[in-house]
Amino acid sequence: MTDVINQLTARIIPCLDVDNGRVVKGTNFVNLRDMGDPVELAIRYEQQGADEIVFLDISASSDNRPTALKNVTAIAKNLSIPFTVGGGLKTINDVKAFLDAGADKVALNTTAVTNPEIIDQVALDYGSQCVVVAVDVNQENDERVIYIHGGRTRVNKNFNQWVNEVEQRGAGEILLTCMHKDGTGSGFDNQLTGAVANNSKIQVIASGGAKNEQHFLEAFKAGADACLAAGMFHSGEYTIGQVKQFLNDNGVQVRL
């Protein structure tokens, strides 16, 4: 555990997992429930003090259909904070389309694994700050297994090697989603997130398992640069402002 909790301001990022134009939430990537309209939720979270918004079209890659540009355009028009889009981005032209629609960053997952050169290409064309590589990992016995297609397809790729490769190719951030924690409310996998964050020169976003303010505090103490959550904000149990105030009161530097 680090003595100093992040030199940069810790970021709180609500995630909009979108399926067929609606925000959904499940457990371990299944049993999805409708949580509302993505535009309305994005506006609400900015008002609550979110540092960024992540919009993930969770069925786009597996269904071979692009993320709804219409939703992205509508959200971007209403936001002044950074906005990341992912899901179904297969080519540099897809990336260009979403950046043109108003996204500030793109999150690459399935395409990054199947065509790693796209990381280099986006970083070269738009800058590393534009490139978030999403890594979905599941702890299976003693093995860390990577998945693509929204958690549906197992990949035969070494986890540590892939995380290092992503950084070498020019990604600006890693969005690390621990599938075994997703929707469980048992807290982030701080051991895994901390190991990645403390061995990376780029920003690492913790994802999967948050249910209360303490979980965020523990993740930042472990070394996360940002924390992403969905269900606890969608349900209204906590506001982003409440979480930030708790972090601030406990020595974590946040933007209030």
CSV table of all heavy atoms in Angstrom, one decimal, residues 181-247:
chain,number,residue,atom,x,y,z
A,181,LYS,N,-15.4,-9.5,-10.2
A,181,LYS,CA,-15.9,-8.5,-9.2
A,181,LYS,C,-17.1,-7.8,-9.7
A,181,LYS,O,-17.9,-7.2,-8.9
A,181,LYS,CB,-14.8,-7.5,-8.9
A,181,LYS,CG,-13.7,-8.0,-8.0
A,181,LYS,CD,-14.2,-8.2,-6.6
A,181,LYS,CE,-13.0,-8.4,-5.6
A,181,LYS,NZ,-13.5,-8.3,-4.2
A,182,ASP,N,-17.4,-7.8,-11.0
A,182,ASP,CA,-18.4,-7.0,-11.7
A,182,ASP,C,-19.8,-7.2,-11.1
A,182,ASP,O,-20.3,-8.3,-11.1
A,182,ASP,CB,-18.4,-7.3,-13.2
A,182,ASP,CG,-19.5,-6.5,-13.9
A,182,ASP,OD1,-19.4,-5.2,-14.0
A,182,ASP,OD2,-20.5,-7.1,-14.3
A,183,GLY,N,-20.4,-6.1,-10.6
A,183,GLY,CA,-21.8,-6.2,-10.1
A,183,GLY,C,-21.9,-6.9,-8.7
A,183,GLY,O,-23.0,-7.1,-8.2
A,184,THR,N,-20.8,-7.3,-8.1
A,184,THR,CA,-20.9,-8.1,-6.9
A,184,THR,C,-21.1,-7.2,-5.6
A,184,THR,O,-21.5,-7.7,-4.6
A,184,THR,CB,-19.7,-9.0,-6.7
A,184,THR,OG1,-18.5,-8.2,-6.5
A,184,THR,CG2,-19.5,-9.9,-7.9
A,185,GLY,N,-20.6,-6.0,-5.7
A,185,GLY,CA,-20.6,-5.1,-4.6
A,185,GLY,C,-19.6,-5.4,-3.5
A,185,GLY,O,-19.7,-5.0,-2.4
A,186,SER,N,-18.6,-6.3,-3.9
A,186,SER,CA,-17.7,-6.7,-2.9
A,186,SER,C,-16.4,-5.9,-2.9
A,186,SER,O,-15.4,-6.2,-2.2
A,186,SER,CB,-17.3,-8.2,-3.1
A,186,SER,OG,-16.8,-8.4,-4.4
A,187,GLY,N,-16.4,-4.8,-3.7
A,187,GLY,CA,-15.2,-3.9,-3.8
A,187,GLY,C,-14.3,-4.3,-5.0
A,187,GLY,O,-14.5,-5.3,-5.6
A,188,PHE,N,-13.5,-3.3,-5.4
A,188,PHE,CA,-12.6,-3.6,-6.5
A,188,PHE,C,-11.6,-4.7,-6.1
A,188,PHE,O,-11.3,-4.9,-5.0
A,188,PHE,CB,-11.8,-2.3,-6.8
A,188,PHE,CG,-12.7,-1.1,-7.2
A,188,PHE,CD1,-13.0,-0.1,-6.3
A,188,PHE,CD2,-13.2,-1.0,-8.5
A,188,PHE,CE1,-13.8,1.0,-6.7
A,188,PHE,CE2,-14.0,0.0,-8.9
A,188,PHE,CZ,-14.3,1.0,-8.0
A,189,ASP,N,-11.0,-5.3,-7.2
A,189,ASP,CA,-9.9,-6.2,-6.9
A,189,ASP,C,-8.6,-5.3,-6.8
A,189,ASP,O,-7.9,-5.1,-7.8
A,189,ASP,CB,-9.7,-7.2,-8.1
A,189,ASP,CG,-8.7,-8.3,-7.8
A,189,ASP,OD1,-7.7,-8.0,-7.0
A,189,ASP,OD2,-8.8,-9.4,-8.4
A,190,ASN,N,-8.3,-4.9,-5.6
A,190,ASN,CA,-7.2,-4.0,-5.3
A,190,ASN,C,-5.9,-4.6,-5.5
A,190,ASN,O,-4.9,-3.9,-5.9
A,190,ASN,CB,-7.4,-3.4,-3.9
A,190,ASN,CG,-8.6,-2.5,-3.8
A,190,ASN,OD1,-9.0,-1.8,-4.8
A,190,ASN,ND2,-9.3,-2.6,-2.7
A,191,GLN,N,-5.8,-5.9,-5.2
A,191,GLN,CA,-4.5,-6.6,-5.4
A,191,GLN,C,-4.1,-6.6,-6.9
A,191,GLN,O,-2.9,-6.2,-7.2
A,191,GLN,CB,-4.6,-8.0,-4.9
A,191,GLN,CG,-3.2,-8.8,-5.0
A,191,GLN,CD,-3.3,-10.2,-4.4
A,191,GLN,OE1,-4.4,-10.6,-4.0
A,191,GLN,NE2,-2.2,-10.9,-4.4
A,192,LEU,N,-5.0,-6.9,-7.8
A,192,LEU,CA,-4.8,-7.0,-9.2
A,192,LEU,C,-4.6,-5.6,-9.8
A,192,LEU,O,-3.6,-5.3,-10.5
A,192,LEU,CB,-5.9,-7.7,-9.9
A,192,LEU,CG,-5.8,-7.8,-11.4
A,192,LEU,CD1,-4.5,-8.4,-11.9
A,192,LEU,CD2,-6.9,-8.7,-11.9
A,193,THR,N,-5.5,-4.6,-9.4
A,193,THR,CA,-5.4,-3.3,-9.9
A,193,THR,C,-4.1,-2.6,-9.4
A,193,THR,O,-3.5,-1.9,-10.2
A,193,THR,CB,-6.6,-2.5,-9.4
A,193,THR,OG1,-7.8,-3.1,-9.8
A,193,THR,CG2,-6.6,-1.0,-10.0
A,194,GLY,N,-3.8,-2.8,-8.2
A,194,GLY,CA,-2.6,-2.2,-7.6
A,194,GLY,C,-1.3,-2.7,-8.3
A,194,GLY,O,-0.4,-2.0,-8.6
A,195,ALA,N,-1.3,-4.0,-8.6
A,195,ALA,CA,-0.2,-4.6,-9.3
A,195,ALA,C,0.0,-4.0,-10.7
A,195,ALA,O,1.2,-3.7,-11.1
A,195,ALA,CB,-0.3,-6.1,-9.4
A,196,VAL,N,-1.1,-3.8,-11.4
A,196,VAL,CA,-1.0,-3.2,-12.7
A,196,VAL,C,-0.6,-1.7,-12.6
A,196,VAL,O,0.3,-1.3,-13.3
A,196,VAL,CB,-2.3,-3.4,-13.5
A,196,VAL,CG1,-2.3,-2.6,-14.8
A,196,VAL,CG2,-2.7,-4.8,-13.7
A,197,ALA,N,-1.3,-1.0,-11.8
A,197,ALA,CA,-1.0,0.4,-11.6
A,197,ALA,C,0.4,0.7,-11.2
A,197,ALA,O,1.1,1.7,-11.7
A,197,ALA,CB,-2.0,1.1,-10.6
A,198,ASN,N,0.9,-0.1,-10.3
A,198,ASN,CA,2.3,0.2,-9.8
A,198,ASN,C,3.4,-0.2,-10.7
A,198,ASN,O,4.6,0.1,-10.5
A,198,ASN,CB,2.5,-0.5,-8.4
A,198,ASN,CG,1.6,0.2,-7.3
A,198,ASN,OD1,1.4,1.4,-7.3
A,198,ASN,ND2,0.9,-0.6,-6.5
A,199,ASN,N,3.0,-1.0,-11.8
A,199,ASN,CA,4.0,-1.4,-12.8
A,199,ASN,C,3.8,-0.7,-14.1
A,199,ASN,O,4.4,-1.1,-15.1
A,199,ASN,CB,3.9,-2.9,-13.0
A,199,ASN,CG,4.6,-3.6,-11.8
A,199,ASN,OD1,5.8,-3.6,-11.6
A,199,ASN,ND2,3.8,-4.3,-11.0
A,200,SER,N,2.9,0.3,-14.2
A,200,SER,CA,2.6,1.0,-15.4
A,200,SER,C,2.9,2.5,-15.3
A,200,SER,O,2.8,3.1,-14.2
A,200,SER,CB,1.1,0.9,-15.7
A,200,SER,OG,0.7,-0.4,-15.9
A,201,LYS,N,3.4,3.0,-16.4
A,201,LYS,CA,3.7,4.5,-16.4
A,201,LYS,C,2.4,5.2,-16.8
A,201,LYS,O,2.4,6.5,-16.7
A,201,LYS,CB,4.8,4.8,-17.4
A,201,LYS,CG,6.2,4.2,-16.9
A,201,LYS,CD,7.3,4.7,-17.8
A,201,LYS,CE,8.6,4.2,-17.4
A,201,LYS,NZ,8.8,2.8,-17.6
A,202,ILE,N,1.4,4.5,-17.3
A,202,ILE,CA,0.2,5.2,-17.8
A,202,ILE,C,-0.9,5.0,-16.7
A,202,ILE,O,-0.8,4.3,-15.8
A,202,ILE,CB,-0.3,4.6,-19.1
A,202,ILE,CG1,-0.6,3.1,-19.1
A,202,ILE,CG2,0.8,4.9,-20.2
A,202,ILE,CD1,-1.2,2.5,-20.3
A,203,GLN,N,-2.0,5.8,-16.9
A,203,GLN,CA,-3.1,5.8,-15.9
A,203,GLN,C,-3.8,4.5,-16.0
A,203,GLN,O,-4.1,3.9,-17.0
A,203,GLN,CB,-4.0,7.0,-16.3
A,203,GLN,CG,-3.4,8.3,-16.2
A,203,GLN,CD,-3.6,9.0,-14.8
A,203,GLN,OE1,-4.6,9.3,-14.4
A,203,GLN,NE2,-2.4,9.2,-14.2
A,204,VAL,N,-4.2,4.0,-14.8
A,204,VAL,CA,-5.0,2.8,-14.7
A,204,VAL,C,-6.3,3.1,-14.0
A,204,VAL,O,-6.4,3.6,-12.9
A,204,VAL,CB,-4.2,1.7,-13.9
A,204,VAL,CG1,-5.1,0.5,-13.7
A,204,VAL,CG2,-3.0,1.3,-14.7
A,205,ILE,N,-7.4,2.7,-14.6
A,205,ILE,CA,-8.8,2.9,-14.1
A,205,ILE,C,-9.3,1.6,-13.5
A,205,ILE,O,-9.4,0.6,-14.2
A,205,ILE,CB,-9.7,3.4,-15.2
A,205,ILE,CG1,-9.2,4.6,-15.9
A,205,ILE,CG2,-11.1,3.6,-14.6
A,205,ILE,CD1,-9.9,5.0,-17.2
A,206,ALA,N,-9.6,1.6,-12.2
A,206,ALA,CA,-10.2,0.4,-11.6
A,206,ALA,C,-11.7,0.3,-11.9
A,206,ALA,O,-12.4,1.3,-11.9
A,206,ALA,CB,-10.0,0.5,-10.1
A,207,SER,N,-12.1,-0.9,-12.2
A,207,SER,CA,-13.5,-1.2,-12.6
A,207,SER,C,-14.0,-2.5,-12.1
A,207,SER,O,-13.2,-3.5,-12.2
A,207,SER,CB,-13.7,-1.0,-14.1
A,207,SER,OG,-15.0,-1.5,-14.5
A,208,GLY,N,-15.2,-2.6,-11.6
A,208,GLY,CA,-15.8,-3.9,-11.2
A,208,GLY,C,-15.8,-4.0,-9.7
A,208,GLY,O,-14.8,-4.2,-9.0
A,209,GLY,N,-17.1,-4.0,-9.1
A,209,GLY,CA,-17.2,-4.4,-7.7
A,209,GLY,C,-17.6,-3.3,-6.7
A,209,GLY,O,-17.8,-3.5,-5.5
A,210,ALA,N,-17.6,-2.0,-7.1
A,210,ALA,CA,-17.8,-0.9,-6.2
A,210,ALA,C,-19.2,-0.9,-5.7
A,210,ALA,O,-20.2,-1.0,-6.4
A,210,ALA,CB,-17.5,0.4,-6.8
A,211,LYS,N,-19.4,-0.6,-4.4
A,211,LYS,CA,-20.7,-0.5,-3.8
A,211,LYS,C,-20.8,0.7,-2.8
A,211,LYS,O,-21.9,1.1,-2.5
A,211,LYS,CB,-21.1,-1.8,-3.1
A,211,LYS,CG,-22.6,-1.8,-2.7
A,211,LYS,CD,-23.0,-3.2,-2.1
A,211,LYS,CE,-24.4,-3.2,-1.6
A,211,LYS,NZ,-25.4,-2.9,-2.6
A,212,ASN,N,-19.7,1.1,-2.3
A,212,ASN,CA,-19.7,2.2,-1.3
A,212,ASN,C,-18.4,3.1,-1.4
A,212,ASN,O,-17.5,2.7,-2.1
A,212,ASN,CB,-19.9,1.7,0.1
A,212,ASN,CG,-18.9,0.7,0.5
A,212,ASN,OD1,-17.7,0.9,0.3
A,212,ASN,ND2,-19.3,-0.5,1.1
A,213,GLU,N,-18.4,4.1,-0.6
A,213,GLU,CA,-17.3,5.1,-0.6
A,213,GLU,C,-16.0,4.4,-0.2
A,213,GLU,O,-14.9,4.7,-0.7
A,213,GLU,CB,-17.5,6.3,0.3
A,213,GLU,CG,-18.8,7.0,0.1
A,213,GLU,CD,-19.7,6.9,1.4
A,213,GLU,OE1,-19.9,5.8,1.9
A,213,GLU,OE2,-20.1,7.9,1.9
A,214,GLN,N,-16.1,3.5,0.7
A,214,GLN,CA,-14.9,2.8,1.3
A,214,GLN,C,-14.1,2.1,0.2
A,214,GLN,O,-12.9,2.0,0.1
A,214,GLN,CB,-15.2,1.9,2.4
A,214,GLN,CG,-14.0,1.2,3.1
A,214,GLN,CD,-13.2,2.2,3.9
A,214,GLN,OE1,-13.6,3.2,4.4
A,214,GLN,NE2,-11.9,1.9,4.0
A,215,HIS,N,-14.9,1.5,-0.8
A,215,HIS,CA,-14.3,0.7,-1.9
A,215,HIS,C,-13.4,1.6,-2.7
A,215,HIS,O,-12.4,1.2,-3.2
A,215,HIS,CB,-15.4,0.1,-2.7
A,215,HIS,CG,-16.1,-1.1,-2.0
A,215,HIS,ND1,-17.4,-1.5,-2.3
A,215,HIS,CD2,-15.7,-1.9,-1.0
A,215,HIS,CE1,-17.7,-2.5,-1.5
A,215,HIS,NE2,-16.7,-2.7,-0.7
A,216,PHE,N,-13.9,2.9,-3.0
A,216,PHE,CA,-13.1,3.8,-3.7
A,216,PHE,C,-11.8,4.2,-3.0
A,216,PHE,O,-10.7,4.2,-3.6
A,216,PHE,CB,-13.9,5.1,-4.0
A,216,PHE,CG,-15.0,4.9,-5.0
A,216,PHE,CD1,-16.2,4.3,-4.7
A,216,PHE,CD2,-14.8,5.3,-6.4
A,216,PHE,CE1,-17.2,4.1,-5.7
A,216,PHE,CE2,-15.8,5.2,-7.3
A,216,PHE,CZ,-17.0,4.5,-7.0
A,217,LEU,N,-11.9,4.5,-1.7
A,217,LEU,CA,-10.8,4.8,-0.9
A,217,LEU,C,-9.7,3.7,-1.0
A,217,LEU,O,-8.5,4.0,-1.2
A,217,LEU,CB,-11.2,5.1,0.5
A,217,LEU,CG,-10.1,5.5,1.5
A,217,LEU,CD1,-9.4,6.8,1.1
A,217,LEU,CD2,-10.6,5.6,2.9
A,218,GLU,N,-10.2,2.5,-0.8
A,218,GLU,CA,-9.2,1.3,-0.8
A,218,GLU,C,-8.5,1.2,-2.2
A,218,GLU,O,-7.3,0.9,-2.3
A,218,GLU,CB,-10.0,0.1,-0.5
A,218,GLU,CG,-10.4,0.0,1.0
A,218,GLU,CD,-11.5,-1.1,1.2
A,218,GLU,OE1,-11.9,-1.8,0.3
A,218,GLU,OE2,-11.9,-1.2,2.4
A,219,ALA,N,-9.3,1.5,-3.3
A,219,ALA,CA,-8.7,1.3,-4.6
A,219,ALA,C,-7.7,2.4,-4.9
A,219,ALA,O,-6.6,2.2,-5.4
A,219,ALA,CB,-9.8,1.4,-5.7
A,220,PHE,N,-7.9,3.7,-4.4
A,220,PHE,CA,-7.0,4.7,-4.6
A,220,PHE,C,-5.7,4.5,-3.7
A,220,PHE,O,-4.6,4.8,-4.2
A,220,PHE,CB,-7.6,6.1,-4.3
A,220,PHE,CG,-8.5,6.6,-5.4
A,220,PHE,CD1,-9.9,6.9,-5.1
A,220,PHE,CD2,-8.1,6.7,-6.7
A,220,PHE,CE1,-10.7,7.3,-6.1
A,220,PHE,CE2,-9.0,7.1,-7.7
A,220,PHE,CZ,-10.3,7.4,-7.4
A,221,LYS,N,-5.9,4.0,-2.6
A,221,LYS,CA,-4.8,3.6,-1.7
A,221,LYS,C,-3.9,2.6,-2.3
A,221,LYS,O,-2.7,2.5,-2.2
A,221,LYS,CB,-5.3,3.2,-0.3
A,221,LYS,CG,-5.7,4.3,0.6
A,221,LYS,CD,-6.0,3.8,2.0
A,221,LYS,CE,-6.3,4.9,3.0
A,221,LYS,NZ,-6.6,4.4,4.3
A,222,ALA,N,-4.6,1.6,-3.1
A,222,ALA,CA,-3.8,0.5,-3.7
A,222,ALA,C,-3.0,1.0,-4.9
A,222,ALA,O,-2.2,0.3,-5.4
A,222,ALA,CB,-4.8,-0.6,-4.1
A,223,GLY,N,-3.4,2.2,-5.4
A,223,GLY,CA,-2.6,2.7,-6.6
A,223,GLY,C,-3.4,3.1,-7.8
A,223,GLY,O,-2.9,3.6,-8.8
A,224,ALA,N,-4.7,2.9,-7.8
A,224,ALA,CA,-5.6,3.3,-9.0
A,224,ALA,C,-5.5,4.8,-9.2
A,224,ALA,O,-5.4,5.6,-8.2
A,224,ALA,CB,-7.0,2.8,-8.7
A,225,ASP,N,-5.5,5.2,-10.4
A,225,ASP,CA,-5.5,6.6,-10.8
A,225,ASP,C,-7.0,7.1,-10.9
A,225,ASP,O,-7.2,8.3,-10.7
A,225,ASP,CB,-4.8,6.8,-12.1
A,225,ASP,CG,-3.4,6.4,-12.1
A,225,ASP,OD1,-2.6,7.1,-11.4
A,225,ASP,OD2,-3.0,5.3,-12.6
A,226,ALA,N,-7.9,6.2,-11.2
A,226,ALA,CA,-9.3,6.6,-11.3
A,226,ALA,C,-10.1,5.3,-11.0
A,226,ALA,O,-9.6,4.2,-11.0
A,226,ALA,CB,-9.6,7.0,-12.8
A,227,CYS,N,-11.4,5.6,-10.6
A,227,CYS,CA,-12.3,4.5,-10.3
A,227,CYS,C,-13.6,4.6,-11.1
A,227,CYS,O,-14.1,5.7,-11.2
A,227,CYS,CB,-12.6,4.4,-8.8
A,227,CYS,SG,-11.3,3.8,-7.8
A,228,LEU,N,-14.0,3.6,-11.7
A,228,LEU,CA,-15.2,3.6,-12.6
A,228,LEU,C,-16.2,2.7,-11.9
A,228,LEU,O,-16.0,1.7,-11.3
A,228,LEU,CB,-14.9,3.0,-13.9
A,228,LEU,CG,-16.0,2.9,-15.0
A,228,LEU,CD1,-15.4,3.2,-16.3
A,228,LEU,CD2,-16.5,1.5,-15.0
A,229,ALA,N,-17.5,3.2,-11.9
A,229,ALA,CA,-18.6,2.5,-11.2
A,229,ALA,C,-19.9,2.8,-12.0
A,229,ALA,O,-20.0,3.7,-12.7
A,229,ALA,CB,-18.7,2.8,-9.8
A,230,ALA,N,-20.8,1.9,-11.8
A,230,ALA,CA,-22.1,2.0,-12.5
A,230,ALA,C,-23.3,1.8,-11.6
A,230,ALA,O,-24.0,2.8,-11.3
A,230,ALA,CB,-22.2,1.0,-13.7
A,231,GLY,N,-23.5,0.6,-11.1
A,231,GLY,CA,-24.7,0.3,-10.4
A,231,GLY,C,-25.0,1.1,-9.2
A,231,GLY,O,-26.1,1.6,-9.0
A,232,MET,N,-24.0,1.4,-8.4
A,232,MET,CA,-24.2,2.2,-7.2
A,232,MET,C,-24.6,3.6,-7.5
A,232,MET,O,-25.3,4.3,-6.6
A,232,MET,CB,-23.0,2.2,-6.3
A,232,MET,CG,-21.8,2.8,-6.8
A,232,MET,SD,-20.3,2.8,-5.7
A,232,MET,CE,-20.7,4.2,-4.6
A,233,PHE,N,-24.3,4.2,-8.6
A,233,PHE,CA,-24.7,5.5,-9.0
A,233,PHE,C,-26.1,5.4,-9.7
A,233,PHE,O,-26.9,6.3,-9.5
A,233,PHE,CB,-23.7,6.1,-9.9
A,233,PHE,CG,-22.3,6.4,-9.3
A,233,PHE,CD1,-21.1,6.1,-9.9
A,233,PHE,CD2,-22.3,7.0,-8.0
A,233,PHE,CE1,-19.9,6.4,-9.3
A,233,PHE,CE2,-21.1,7.2,-7.4
A,233,PHE,CZ,-19.9,6.9,-8.0
A,234,HIS,N,-26.2,4.4,-10.6
A,234,HIS,CA,-27.5,4.3,-11.3
A,234,HIS,C,-28.7,4.1,-10.4
A,234,HIS,O,-29.8,4.6,-10.6
A,234,HIS,CB,-27.5,3.1,-12.3
A,234,HIS,CG,-26.5,3.2,-13.4
A,234,HIS,ND1,-25.9,4.4,-13.8
A,234,HIS,CD2,-25.9,2.3,-14.1
A,234,HIS,CE1,-25.0,4.2,-14.8
A,234,HIS,NE2,-25.0,2.9,-15.0
A,235,SER,N,-28.4,3.4,-9.3
A,235,SER,CA,-29.5,3.0,-8.3
A,235,SER,C,-29.8,4.2,-7.4
A,235,SER,O,-30.9,4.2,-6.8
A,235,SER,CB,-29.1,1.9,-7.5
A,235,SER,OG,-28.0,2.2,-6.6
A,236,GLY,N,-28.9,5.2,-7.4
A,236,GLY,CA,-29.2,6.4,-6.5
A,236,GLY,C,-28.8,6.2,-5.1
A,236,GLY,O,-29.0,7.0,-4.3
A,237,GLU,N,-28.1,5.0,-4.8
A,237,GLU,CA,-27.7,4.8,-3.4
A,237,GLU,C,-26.6,5.8,-3.0
A,237,GLU,O,-26.6,6.2,-1.8
A,237,GLU,CB,-27.0,3.4,-3.3
A,237,GLU,CG,-28.0,2.2,-3.4
A,237,GLU,CD,-27.3,0.9,-3.4
A,237,GLU,OE1,-26.6,0.6,-2.4
A,237,GLU,OE2,-27.3,0.2,-4.5
A,238,TYR,N,-25.8,6.2,-4.0
A,238,TYR,CA,-24.8,7.2,-3.7
A,238,TYR,C,-24.7,8.2,-4.9
A,238,TYR,O,-25.0,7.8,-6.0
A,238,TYR,CB,-23.4,6.6,-3.6
A,238,TYR,CG,-23.2,5.8,-2.3
A,238,TYR,CD1,-23.4,4.4,-2.3
A,238,TYR,CD2,-22.7,6.4,-1.1
A,238,TYR,CE1,-23.2,3.7,-1.1
A,238,TYR,CE2,-22.5,5.7,0.0
A,238,TYR,CZ,-22.8,4.3,0.0
A,238,TYR,OH,-22.6,3.6,1.1
A,239,THR,N,-24.4,9.5,-4.5
A,239,THR,CA,-24.1,10.4,-5.6
A,239,THR,C,-22.6,10.5,-5.7
A,239,THR,O,-21.8,10.1,-4.8
A,239,THR,CB,-24.6,11.8,-5.3
A,239,THR,OG1,-23.9,12.4,-4.2
A,239,THR,CG2,-26.1,11.8,-5.0
A,240,ILE,N,-22.1,11.0,-6.9
A,240,ILE,CA,-20.7,11.2,-7.1
A,240,ILE,C,-20.1,12.2,-6.1
A,240,ILE,O,-19.0,12.0,-5.5
A,240,ILE,CB,-20.4,11.6,-8.5
A,240,ILE,CG1,-20.7,10.4,-9.4
A,240,ILE,CG2,-18.9,12.0,-8.7
A,240,ILE,CD1,-21.0,10.7,-10.8
A,241,GLY,N,-20.9,13.2,-5.8
A,241,GLY,CA,-20.5,14.2,-4.8
A,241,GLY,C,-20.3,13.6,-3.4
A,241,GLY,O,-19.3,14.0,-2.8
A,242,GLN,N,-21.1,12.7,-3.0
A,242,GLN,CA,-20.9,12.0,-1.7
A,242,GLN,C,-19.6,11.3,-1.7
A,242,GLN,O,-18.9,11.3,-0.7
A,242,GLN,CB,-22.1,11.1,-1.4
A,242,GLN,CG,-23.4,11.8,-1.0
A,242,GLN,CD,-24.5,10.8,-0.9
A,242,GLN,OE1,-24.8,10.0,-1.8
A,242,GLN,NE2,-25.1,10.7,0.3
A,243,VAL,N,-19.3,10.5,-2.7
A,243,VAL,CA,-18.1,9.7,-2.8
A,243,VAL,C,-16.9,10.6,-2.7
A,243,VAL,O,-15.9,10.4,-2.0
A,243,VAL,CB,-18.1,8.8,-4.0
A,243,VAL,CG1,-16.7,8.1,-4.2
A,243,VAL,CG2,-19.2,7.8,-4.0
A,244,LYS,N,-16.9,11.7,-3.5
A,244,LYS,CA,-15.8,12.7,-3.5
A,244,LYS,C,-15.6,13.3,-2.2
A,244,LYS,O,-14.4,13.5,-1.8
A,244,LYS,CB,-16.0,13.7,-4.6
A,244,LYS,CG,-15.8,13.2,-6.0
A,244,LYS,CD,-15.8,14.4,-7.0
A,244,LYS,CE,-15.1,14.0,-8.3
A,244,LYS,NZ,-14.9,15.1,-9.2
A,245,GLN,N,-16.6,13.7,-1.5
A,245,GLN,CA,-16.5,14.3,-0.2
A,245,GLN,C,-15.8,13.4,0.8
A,245,GLN,O,-14.9,13.7,1.6
A,245,GLN,CB,-17.8,14.8,0.3
A,245,GLN,CG,-17.8,15.7,1.6
A,245,GLN,CD,-17.0,17.0,1.3
A,245,GLN,OE1,-17.3,17.7,0.4
A,245,GLN,NE2,-15.9,17.2,2.1
A,246,PHE,N,-16.3,12.1,0.7
A,246,PHE,CA,-15.7,11.1,1.6
A,246,PHE,C,-14.2,10.9,1.3
A,246,PHE,O,-13.4,10.8,2.2
A,246,PHE,CB,-16.4,9.7,1.4
A,246,PHE,CG,-15.8,8.6,2.2
A,246,PHE,CD1,-16.2,8.4,3.5
A,246,PHE,CD2,-15.0,7.7,1.6
A,246,PHE,CE1,-15.7,7.4,4.3
A,246,PHE,CE2,-14.4,6.6,2.4
A,246,PHE,CZ,-14.8,6.5,3.7
A,247,LEU,N,-13.8,10.9,0.0
A,247,LEU,CA,-12.4,10.7,-0.4
A,247,LEU,C,-11.6,11.9,0.1
A,247,LEU,O,-10.5,11.8,0.7
A,247,LEU,CB,-12.3,10.5,-1.9
A,247,LEU,CG,-12.9,9.3,-2.4
A,247,LEU,CD1,-12.9,9.3,-4.0
A,247,LEU,CD2,-12.0,8.1,-2.0
